[in-house]
Amino acid sequence: MSIGMNIRHDSAVTHVAGESVFIDDRPEVRGEVHVGVVGSPIARGRLISIDSKEALAHPDCLGVYTAADFHAKAWGTIKHDQPFLVVEEISYMQEAVCLIASKRRDSVEAIKKLIKVKAEETPGVFSIDEAKAKGEVLYRAASPFMQGNVDAALAQAPHCLKGVFRCGGQEHFYLESQAAIAYPLENGQVEVHSSSQHPSETQRVVAEALGIPFHQVVCVVKRMGGGFGGKESQGAPIAAYAALVANRLKRAARIVLTKDQDMMITGKRHPFQNEYEVGFDGDGRLLAVKAILQSDGGAYLDLSSSILERAMFHLDGAYYLPNVHIEGVCYRTHHHPHTAFRGFGGPQGNMTIESILEDVAHFLKKDASEVRRINLYSGQNLRTPYGQVLENNLLPEIHERLLKSANYQKRLKELTEFNSKRTGKIRGISVTATKFGISFTARFLNQANALVNLQLDGTLQVSTGATEMGQGVNTKIQQIVAHAFGLPPESVRVMPTSTEKNHNTSPTAASSGSDLNGAAALLAANRIKNRLIPLARAMFNGLSFDPTLEFEAGKEADKEADKEADTVSDSGIQFQEGRVLDSLSGKSIRLQELIQTAYQNRISLGSYAHYKTPDLGFDKTKVTGRAFNYYTQGMAVSEVEIDEYTGEMKVRRADILMDLGRSLNPGIDRGQTTGAFIQGMGWVTSEHLVYDEKRNLLSHSPTTYKIPNVQDTPREFHVDFIENPHNDRNVHGSKAVGEPPFLLGTSVWTAIKHALSYRANGKEIHLVSPATPEVILMELTRLKGM
Ligand code: MTE
Ligand code: QUE
Ligand code: MOS
């Protein structure tokens, strides 16, 4: 009933009213202190001393804390290689050196300035090329992905192209900066409220930082003001800073980074530099692709190994590669450690093949959409470079329908004519695809647990490990549970995420928050229903209940519920519109009456369940097994116009068609699709990270870092979903949506490439990402031979 409906976002009203509580909206408690982070003044070198005398003399300063105050010196999601605070070696500009605690927020910056950090600078490594020359490898993929015989196919191919695809990093630009408040409790316990996508990791990191057992720490996440991957690992040390100060001073401690500081300190999307060789025939059919993906991991591992692997998994894009060889290396540089960002390496892999296909079409003077069409996964060509075979693949249909609805052929013709008129503007149009693998590639993360409490008035409280960052996971879980009990969505509340209710949870990431936690919540709801159904059956059979006597079936109820809850026991009993119906007798009772009777008969009205995605298991050494549960697919057509004199670009129109299975909430999914597309477009066109020669980030504020604004959105924008009721691999036939459409922003970049092809005079086009106006203008100038 509530499945597939446009139920409004569970925070819609409070967001608009300004009542939603983010970390810094939490009221100050008595004695609360403010924590500031002092960053390194050099990008690489050795810490010689920290002079905190003057700072400690400040009337508001309550303490200065260094690495020596931490029980564990390092943290890290995959490998414990990141110091909480610099011990001796400094590895990036603004790396955290020490903490200060202040009585007043207003004094934090003044106290920080009184700290004298002495450091000895040594030359750092700041590019993939330098790191490669010095052999600074953070991680190398276990085995290459291989199919067929790439060298033989390259040697025999009628045409070959070689090149390097380069793309830049990206700042997450969540509206709520990294933030946490820690409350010291009795017996050395600590409760941390954190803006984090990964409460379980935050709990662990806080415990390790303080040297206390995990059960002494509770991490609560009500919501984030955006995460986008930037709060998956990086929220944890921030929470640990607050917890350390709270633990030392026995006062509540709050840390809220300023926007500028957040932008300077925290890691970003990985820049990549991908070398490739590609062989193809006269029609543009890809015969062989050899690629080595190289990422800039920054100073520490963070999630870089998994991100590199996801880039490798997405190098094929939506296209069948009969002969392929893909390798990956992540290099260590003296940048902030790069981290998860929407798409998690997928965009950097996918964009490489889309760039190659644009080049192939340009080389053969063919329509790039036709070159893409003949390369799409289809018919018998469904095997990926890592051996997984696509099921229920809609790519050819999506391509056909989208080109038709976007009027592609007609617009291509019109634009070609427009470009011949020499108006000082050139236009380009391009279609690109997304085929995003849904599952964490680290198998152990594909699990979730849920707690469902049915109250006596027939309302429900649901708790899972999912964290709300605006993406609507709470709303989707609300719908799933409401649907299970035949109740309106208002009858269900999704409660704040807390590690005391849900244990050992995975980060809300890999677009799988609703998939995993929604499935767990459904299992828990089904367990309760399986206890209620025998009671309802007995009631319909005319048994009357004396609350002083035990209902016989009640004894069976728990056993029944503990059976696998994949299905509800089939008994002709249905939960609909607040009532319980018996399809055998046609009788019905109010759900609340059933609940009351159950309670009187001591039948449990709460349940817990654990879900794990079935049939997963990719062996990355042997490159065999299923890496993904299924794929979310889609395509976009974008048309751009470039001013030939300034390099300025605008998107005239964009059309998107996504396969989201049976959408749980089309309104939310539309928001995710448009938002992800625009964020992806920003990455490839205007979001340019600029550093000075000392590696200070110059683009560290909204005035110097250009994210898309409302005027940058496509003048005409169509978002549509294709019908697909066949995804039986996920809850209610839905598909994950969070990251996949991010990859479609690429179509704006390839459309720029297409526009440039009209002025290329037969030359190869060299375009980097982001294609800022400067980049476009310089390439145009080169192509025109000026
Ligand atoms: N949408 C909003 N509004 N804010 C966010 O921070 N993060 C994205 C995506 N959509 C994000 C968002 C990222 S990186 C992921 S992995 C997914 O949401 C996570 O949520 P889900 O798995 O519940 O879709
Ligand atoms: C996608 C993701 C993640 C991922 C793999 C994906 C992710 C993540 C991890 C990960 C891997 C190893 C670990 C760990 C986490 O893998 O977000 O703790 O030891 O955190 O394909 O989004
Ligand atoms: Mo999203 S990058 O998986 O948090």
Side-chain angles (χ1 to χ4, degrees):
M1 215 188 343
S2 74
I3 294 298
M5 304 276 284
N6 283 331
I7 307 305
R8 71 175 167 218
H9 193 285
D10 82 331
S11 299
V13 172
T14 54
H15 276 2
V16 173
E19 288 168 7
S20 296
V21 176
F22 298 87
I23 291 296
D24 208 17
D25 295 317
R26 297 182 61 81
E28 188 162 328
V29 300
R30 194 185 302 149
E32 188 174 297
V33 302
H34 296 269
V35 181
V37 185
V38 177
S40 160
I42 58 167
R44 189 196 188 180
R46 209 165 58 83
L47 176 65
I48 294 171
S49 64
I50 303 169
D51 180 354
S52 53
K53 256 190 254 85
E54 280 182 49
L56 287 168
H58 191 287
D60 289 338
C61 183
L62 292 167
V64 175
Y65 307 90
T66 66
D69 291 289
F70 282 78
H71 176 82
K73 299 301 165 211
W75 69 281
T77 304
I78 294 175
K79 190 174 160 203
H80 279 39
D81 66 345
Q82 291 199 52
F84 283 99
L85 296 172
V86 169
V87 178
E88 189 182 350
E89 202 185 322
I90 293 170
S91 301
Y92 61 96
M93 179 57 85
Q94 290 294 329
E95 183 170 9
V97 168
C98 67
L99 307 174
I100 63 104
S102 169
K103 281 183 207 161
R104 294 190 321 126
R105 185 191 292 245
D106 298 0
S107 313
V108 169
E109 291 306 314
I111 296 170
K112 274 166 62 179
K113 284 205 188 82
L114 297 175
I115 302 268
K116 305 271 177 298
V117 175
K118 232 205 232 157
E120 182 183 75
E121 191 168 2
T122 45
V125 171
F126 302 112
S127 71
I128 290 173
D129 289 330
E130 269 178 89
K132 194 172 175 176
K134 297 208 162 103
E136 287 281 351
V137 172
L138 265 175
Y139 179 79
R140 192 181 290 276
S143 298
F145 292 174
M146 291 190 290
Q147 298 285 334
N149 185 339
V150 84
D151 289 319
L154 277 172
Q156 286 161 18
H159 308 286
C160 279
L161 284 176
K162 253 187 178 181
V164 184
F165 168 77
R166 291 184 169 84
C167 57
Q170 186 178 21
E171 158 62 37
H172 297 88
F173 223 97
Y174 28 66
L175 291 180
E176 181 190 32
S177 297
Q178 301 281 354
I181 307 182
Y183 302 96
L185 306 178
E186 318 175 350
N187 291 319
Q189 290 167 266
V190 55
E191 182 173 311
V192 189
H193 291 248
S194 161
S195 187
S196 164
Q197 290 172 245
H198 199 348
S200 285
E201 168 79 351
T202 300
Q203 176 193 22
R204 172 174 79 117
V205 171
V206 165
E208 289 173 356
L210 302 182
I212 59 178
F214 292 12
H215 75 303
Q216 292 286 80
V217 183
V218 172
C219 176
V220 183
V221 177
K222 169 64 187 161
R223 62 162 64 77
M224 281 158 276
F228 304 111
K231 294 172 181 170
E232 189 176 331
S233 60
Q234 299 191 125
I238 302 287
Y241 297 159
L244 181 96
V245 173
N247 184 269
R248 284 304 147 91
L249 296 177
K250 299 285 176 259
R251 293 180 177 206
R254 177 182 305 237
I255 180 166
V256 181
L257 297 186
T258 63
K259 188 74 199 162
D260 288 34
Q261 200 182 16
D262 188 302
M263 288 178 79
M264 286 189 283
I265 295 181
T266 61
K268 311 188 187 305
R269 180 184 294 283
H270 290 69
F272 270 68
Q273 189 169 307
N274 302 334
E275 296 173 10
Y276 62 84
E277 246 178 284
V278 47
F280 50 98
D281 68 15
D283 294 332
R285 199 177 303 275
L286 297 177
L287 304 172
V289 174
K290 196 173 184 176
I292 173 151
L293 307 189
Q294 309 173 116
S295 66
D296 174 346
Y300 303 106
L301 186 64
D302 198 279
L303 296 163
S304 293
S305 44
S306 287
I307 290 164
L308 177 72
E309 279 155 13
R310 188 165 277 271
M312 294 168 68
F313 278 113
H314 287 79
L315 185 91
D316 59 337
Y319 312 101
Y320 174 67
L321 310 177
N323 297 284
V324 60
H325 181 110
I326 306 166
E327 286 179 43
V329 197
C330 173
Y331 289 102
R332 179 171 200 252
T333 65
H334 297 97
H335 282 134
H336 29 50
H338 289 122
T339 191
F341 195 143
R342 207 170 193 169
F344 205 77
Q348 294 96 318
N350 188 83
M351 196 169 166
T352 308
I353 197 77
E354 293 292 4
S355 174
I356 288 172
L357 285 166
E358 205 63 38
D359 291 346
V360 166
H362 177 56
F363 177 88
L364 295 172
K365 302 191 170 52
K366 284 191 178 297
D367 170 12
S369 83
E370 185 55 18
V371 168
R372 287 193 171 86
R373 189 188 63 80
I374 62 170
N375 283 295
L376 285 177
Y377 281 108
S378 67
Q380 298 301 303
N381 296 341
L382 295 172
R383 195 183 173 84
T384 61
Y386 45 92
Q388 184 160 347
V389 177
L390 305 200
E391 298 163 355
N392 186 13
N393 167 44
L394 294 185
L395 286 166
E397 277 104 308
I398 293 173
H399 188 269
E400 193 187 331
R401 283 187 42 176
L402 180 63
L403 261 60
K404 216 175 273 167
S405 69
N407 228 338
Y408 176 88
Q409 292 302 341
K410 180 160 170 277
R411 286 165 60 204
L412 176 63
K413 229 174 163 179
E414 286 170 359
L415 146 174
T416 304
E417 206 181 299
F418 175 88
N419 288 341
S420 70
K421 285 192 196 134
R422 308 271 164 175
T423 57
K425 307 252 200 248
I426 34 172
R427 292 179 181 169
I429 190 167
S430 182
V431 50
T432 67
T434 181
K435 175 192 115 283
F436 200 81
I438 304 300
S439 287
F440 289 96
T441 51
R443 187 173 75 152
F444 73 97
L445 293 172
N446 296 289
Q447 58 177 318
N449 61 85
L451 181 66
V452 174
N453 293 336
L454 179 54
Q455 309 290 339
L456 289 182
D457 66 350
T459 62
L460 291 125
Q461 292 177 326
V462 185
S463 304
T464 74
T467 54
E468 178 65 49
M469 56 193 106
Q471 86 277 38
V473 67
N474 283 0
T475 313
K476 288 181 174 179
I477 291 172
Q478 180 187 19
Q479 288 175 264
I480 289 168
V481 173
H483 181 80
F485 287 97
L487 290 167
E490 309 82 79
S491 297
V492 179
R493 269 281 164 230
V494 177
M495 306 307 286
T497 313
S498 167
T499 56
E500 69 181 328
K501 289 178 290 177
N502 300 99
H503 60 90
N504 306 315
T505 54
S506 297
T508 307
S511 301
S512 62
S514 307
D515 284 25
L516 297 171
N517 296 283
L522 181 57
L523 290 180
N526 284 346
R527 290 219 158 129
I528 299 175
K529 285 170 72 177
N530 282 343
R531 292 191 202 113
L532 292 176
I533 284 168
L535 177 65
R537 166 66 42 226
M539 288 167 80
F540 287 126
N541 286 350
L543 275 179
S544 65
F545 289 93
D546 178 347
T548 59
L549 296 173
E550 189 101 40
F551 162 56
E552 274 307 305
K555 293 174 192 158
E556 294 302 309
D558 288 331
K559 280 186 221 152
E560 196 62 38
D562 283 340
K563 287 183 192 161
E564 264 323 303
D566 285 348
T567 48
V568 177
S569 41
D570 181 31
S571 57
I573 305 265
Q574 281 158 11
F575 292 70
Q576 268 174 29
E577 291 169 39
R579 298 189 71 80
V580 184
L581 270 48
D582 178 15
S583 59
L584 301 181
S585 65
K587 287 188 235 169
S588 78
I589 51 171
R590 282 169 56 234
L591 175 62
Q592 218 171 311
E593 189 187 333
L594 177 63
I595 293 169
Q596 283 290 349
T597 311
Y599 176 66
Q600 295 293 333
N601 285 279
R602 301 193 296 179
I603 293 172
S604 168
L605 294 169
S607 196
Y608 163 87
H610 175 262
Y611 173 80
K612 57 181 180 229
T613 312
D615 309 326
L616 281 183
F618 181 76
D619 181 329
K620 61 185 180 186
T621 309
K622 295 192 195 130
V623 194
T624 54
R626 283 169 55 88
F628 301 115
N629 190 27
Y630 63 90
Y631 296 87
T632 294
Q633 302 177 326
M635 290 190 195
V637 177
S638 294
E639 182 181 337
V640 301
E641 182 174 283
I642 292 167
D643 184 314
E644 290 188 67
Y645 304 112
T646 64
E648 274 175 290
M649 184 279 298
K650 66 179 179 206
V651 183
R652 285 167 49 80
R653 176 172 167 180
D655 294 67
I656 297 176
L657 184 59
M658 292 293 301
D659 166 17
L660 299 177
R662 278 184 208 261
S663 171
L664 290 170
N665 187 320
I668 282 175
D669 287 354
R670 172 175 295 268
Q672 285 292 298
T673 303
T674 53
F677 175 87
I678 299 294
Q679 196 173 33
M681 180 189 96
W683 173 52
V684 299
T685 59
S686 69
E687 297 186 35
H688 189 201
L689 294 160
V690 184
Y691 300 86
D692 69 9
E693 61 292 347
K694 305 275 286 177
R695 308 318 284 184
N696 284 299
L697 180 66
L698 297 176
S699 50
H700 61 71
S701 76
T703 49
T704 46
Y705 184 75
K706 173 79 183 89
I707 61 166
N709 68 17
V710 70
Q711 285 155 26
D712 299 314
T713 59
R715 296 297 82 195
E716 195 181 331
F717 201 2
H718 303 275
V719 175
D720 211 352
F721 307 135
I722 196 168
E723 199 131 321
N724 175 13
H726 304 296
N727 187 34
D728 54 13
R729 291 210 172 261
N730 191 35
V731 59
H732 290 307
S734 66
K735 286 194 174 189
V737 65
E739 296 166 288
F742 182 97
L743 282 64
L744 296 177
T746 298
S747 59
V748 173
W749 187 85
T750 48
I752 294 171
K753 226 178 193 186
H754 180 238
L756 293 177
S757 74
Y758 287 94
R759 300 289 185 267
N761 300 312
K763 291 183 199 160
E764 270 184 36
I765 301 163
H766 302 299
L767 195 65
V768 296
S769 175
T772 58
E774 299 91 305
V775 165
I776 294 173
L777 192 61
M778 280 164 72
E779 181 60 4
L780 253 179
T781 309
R782 188 188 70 83
L783 291 171
K784 288 176 174 174
M786 292 194 296

